[in-house]
């Protein structure tokens, strides 16, 4: 008997040299409508009055949820790795400081 299972579609993903370099962002602003999520990745430079949007990603709600789950999974794996290697990558414990850091005291 023949196997009539369809072959899974495979997508070849290409990464150009320019994109492979990456773009640094230290802030993300997320907005949504009924049909899409918009994530603006922004680079804030201390001492300047303007912040530059470096990239804008527009996702369907389904793909936004997939991204959320993928990020949660990767953060969990990262946290497991740092617990196992003994290095403290979180100087504030599980607390995540707000953008701009924690105000210092003199």
């Amino acid at each position: 008997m023949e196997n009539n299972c369809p072959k899974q579609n495979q997508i070849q993903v290409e990464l150009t040299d320019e994109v492979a370099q990456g773009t640094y962002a230290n802030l993300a602003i997320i907005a949504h409508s009924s049909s899409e999520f918009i994530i603006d990745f922004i680079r804030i430079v201390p001492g300047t009055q303007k912040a530059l949007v470096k990239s804008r990603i527009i996702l369907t709600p389904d793909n936004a949820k997939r991204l959320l789950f993928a990020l949660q999974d990767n953060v969990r794996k990262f946290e497991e790795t740092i617990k196992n290697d003994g290095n403290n990558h979180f100087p504030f414990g599980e607390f995540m400081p707000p953008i701009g850091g924690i105000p210092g005291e003199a």
Side-chain angles (χ1 to χ4, degrees):
M1 183 181 271
E2 246 179 79
N3 186 355
N4 290 332
C5 294
K7 290 184 180 180
Q8 285 190 321
N9 293 335
Q10 292 185 355
I11 299 173
Q12 291 185 358
V13 177
E14 210 172 294
L15 182 64
T16 65
D17 289 339
E18 181 182 352
V19 173
Q21 295 298 312
T23 300
Y24 178 76
N26 52 8
L27 176 66
I29 295 178
I30 303 170
H32 71 277
S33 69
S34 61
S35 61
E36 60 195 15
F37 278 73
I38 301 163
I39 307 173
D40 287 334
F41 292 95
I42 299 165
R43 181 182 305 162
I44 297 175
V45 179
T48 61
Q49 297 296 319
K50 288 186 176 183
L52 184 61
V53 174
K54 301 302 288 182
S55 182
R56 171 174 279 186
I57 306 298
I58 302 169
L59 302 160
T60 64
D62 286 344
N63 285 332
K65 282 183 91 169
R66 287 183 184 97
L67 175 62
L68 170 66
F69 294 140
L71 284 170
Q72 286 175 329
D73 186 51
N74 276 270
V75 168
R76 181 187 54 76
K77 289 175 183 175
F78 168 76
E79 289 173 343
E80 286 175 5
T81 301
I82 63 169
K83 284 179 186 175
N84 292 335
D85 72 10
N87 291 327
N88 184 4
H89 294 271
F90 295 109
F92 304 103
E94 293 297 319
F95 169 74
M96 180 66 67
I99 298 294
I102 296 175
E105 294 181 15

